[in-house]
Structures are given as structure tokens and as C-alpha cells.
Amino acid sequence: MSDTLLREQIAYYRARASEYEETALPTLGAGDTPMAREWRDAERVVHALPQYTDILELACGTGVWTRLLTQHTEHLTALDAAPEMLELNRAQVNDARVNYECVNLFEWEATQEYELVFMAFWLSHVPDAQLDLFLQRVRRALKSNGTVFILDEPRGTKNVIPTNENIQARTLNDGRTFSIVKEYYAPEELCARMRQFGFSSIEVSRGDYFFWLRAARSQND
Ligand SMILES: C[S@@+](CC[C@H](N)C(=O)[O-])C[C@H]1O[C@@H](n2cnc3c(N)ncnc32)[C@H](O)[C@@H]1O
């Protein structure tokens, strides 16, 4: 998958930032549909996370999850490649404990280790060919007792958007269309890949629309 596509993916989210929350999955958390119920279940799982000394949130977007994560730490670092997303996040979360950095996660290497690395609806934008490298970077970003938490849409999700060879065409309110990566990873396959790269104690919950996965950095590496 080309660098051009990954750059277009960033351009898409930069352009989409101001309309993200009105068009993204969180709006589907309202109401009493099966999807909304699953969304709220995922929120409850995040609410139930323990306290951490520090958290790293990857691809934080406008702050849908950043808000919840601030309740679980005094030190939160939130990364995203779209300055427009970071600005909205900063304005909406409005919490001086959050440190924002504009980072392209395909060129990123953590400069410190964290107790929790959290990512929501990001992994499905990592092409399969980049996944192993990305998982290794995440592992290196974790303290030895650290946890990674991934929330996303699984292969076979009922929230079907037409996808051609793991590329989706996404159209903004103004009619502009962008191509982005969308890899619906199968949680079981993801677990196997993660075990290969130094994760253990993997716990997975797969629904019809979403899955979440929690894993620890293995002690013996
Ligand atoms: C589907 S949104 C998820 C946002 C947020 N985590 C949420 O759940 O609402 C994907 C996010 O990835 C960011 N993004 C896209 N390409 C990126 C890259 N190469 N590096 C870092 N962030 C990127 C976008 O700006 C966007 O905020």
C-alpha cells in the first residue's frame, strides 16, 4: 500500500475534523439499536479501566475517548497526525494534563514508556503490510507491566462500508472524496500476530459491530 494513500488518509482526516463527530460512530451510540448498545458496552469497559501513572493515546481524533481516559491518569499524551483534530480535542477536552503531539504514526517511535497505550478506531487504518512494524512500536512504547487496549471494527462487522482491497472511498459533506485504508482485522488473527511480537495475557471481546482487545507486554522479552 503506497505512501500516497497514507498521505491521503491524513488529508482526509484533516479535512473531516470539523464534521467528524456528527458523522462518526459515536453518534450511533445514541438510541437503542444493537450497534448503540455495543458502543455503550465498549464505553463501560473503558470507564472500568484502572488508574495508570501515564497513558498514551494513539490517533486521538477530536477527543471522544480522550475525555474518558483523563479520568484514569494524571499524565496523558495524545498523538494524531491531523492538527485540526488535535485543536478540536484540546478545545473540547480542555484539560491541562493532556499533552498533544502532531505525529505521523507510520514514522513514529515512542520516546518514553507508558503503562497504557490506547487506540480506538485506528488499527483498521494501519495496512496489513505495516501491522507487524506498528505492533512492535507499540510494544516498545509499553512499560514492562504495561497494557495495550485496542477498540475497532472486526472483520465481518455488520457496519458494512463498501471496501475494495482494503481501501475505502470516503466522501465529505462538501462532496470531496478521499481514499483511505480500512483493514478489518479478525481479532483471533490479531491475537496470534500480537503473541509473536511480545504481547501476552490477551483478552478479546468481539461483538457484531466492534471488538476490543487488551494485552500485556510480555515479561520475558
Ligand atoms: C477514525 S479516526 C479515530 C479518532 C479517535 N480515536 C476516535 O475514536 O474518535 C482516525 C484518526 O487517525 C488519525 N490519523 C490518520 N492518519 C494518521 C497517521 N498517519 N498518524 C497519526 N494519526 C493519523 C486521524 O487524524 C483521525 O483522528
Side-chain angles (χ1 to χ4, degrees):
M1 220 161 263
S2 71
D3 282 356
T4 312
L5 180 64
L6 299 179
R7 278 198 297 275
E8 187 166 339
Q9 176 159 264
I10 295 175
Y12 166 67
Y13 280 107
R14 293 191 65 177
R16 186 182 173 199
S18 61
E19 62 192 64
Y20 179 76
E21 289 199 22
E22 80 191 59
T23 54
L25 294 164
T27 55
L28 303 169
D32 197 30
T33 61
M35 187 175 186
R37 283 198 292 276
E38 258 189 44
W39 179 271
R40 290 196 295 270
D41 286 347
E43 280 181 329
R44 273 192 284 276
V45 174
V46 177
H47 264 300
L49 290 172
Q51 286 298 122
Y52 297 95
T53 52
D54 36 42
I55 298 179
L56 175 67
E57 184 184 9
L58 302 179
C60 61
T62 56
V64 174
W65 301 95
T66 316
R67 284 185 200 99
L68 298 188
L69 294 173
T70 55
Q71 295 167 28
H72 296 271
T73 188
E74 290 298 312
H75 303 282
L76 175 58
T77 301
L79 310 184
D80 202 284
E84 294 80 358
M85 288 285 188
L86 292 168
E87 270 321 297
L88 282 167
N89 191 315
R90 194 193 304 276
Q92 293 182 158
V93 174
N94 191 24
D95 190 323
R97 292 170 305 173
V98 186
N99 174 41
Y100 293 96
E101 290 175 37
C102 190
V103 167
N104 179 349
L105 288 171
F106 295 110
E107 297 168 357
W108 157 81
E109 188 66 49
T111 51
Q112 69 168 86
E113 294 175 342
Y114 299 83
E115 272 194 347
L116 176 71
V117 175
F118 179 96
M119 68 197 89
F121 303 98
W122 164 247
L123 200 72
S124 54
H125 297 305
V126 176
D128 191 86
Q130 302 257 5
L131 183 68
D132 293 353
L133 188 62
F134 177 71
L135 291 175
Q136 291 172 73
R137 285 173 167 157
V138 170
R139 196 198 58 77
R140 288 197 290 273
L142 283 171
K143 290 183 175 165
S144 63
N145 60 342
T147 300
V148 59
F149 190 99
I150 299 169
L151 172 62
D152 220 305
E153 297 171 280
R155 188 170 304 159
T157 177
K158 288 189 174 173
N159 181 40
V160 180
I161 299 178
T163 308
N164 185 13
E165 296 189 350
N166 304 320
I167 297 177
Q168 284 182 351
R170 296 281 187 91
T171 303
L172 296 175
N173 287 342
D174 65 8
R176 277 181 294 163
T177 296
F178 296 78
S179 294
I180 66 161
V181 177
K182 192 70 183 181
E183 293 268 5
Y184 291 106
Y185 290 108
E188 318 70 49
E189 287 175 23
L190 191 55
C191 291
R193 305 262 291 261
M194 291 181 73
R195 278 192 201 95
Q196 242 183 295
F197 292 112
F199 294 93
S200 56
S201 308
I202 304 180
E203 190 188 347
V204 177
S205 171
R206 188 202 190 288
D208 286 336
Y209 297 89
F210 309 121
F211 77 93
W212 59 260
L213 182 159
R214 184 177 7 210
R217 175 177 160 172
S218 299
Q219 295 296 314
N220 54 356
D221 63 324

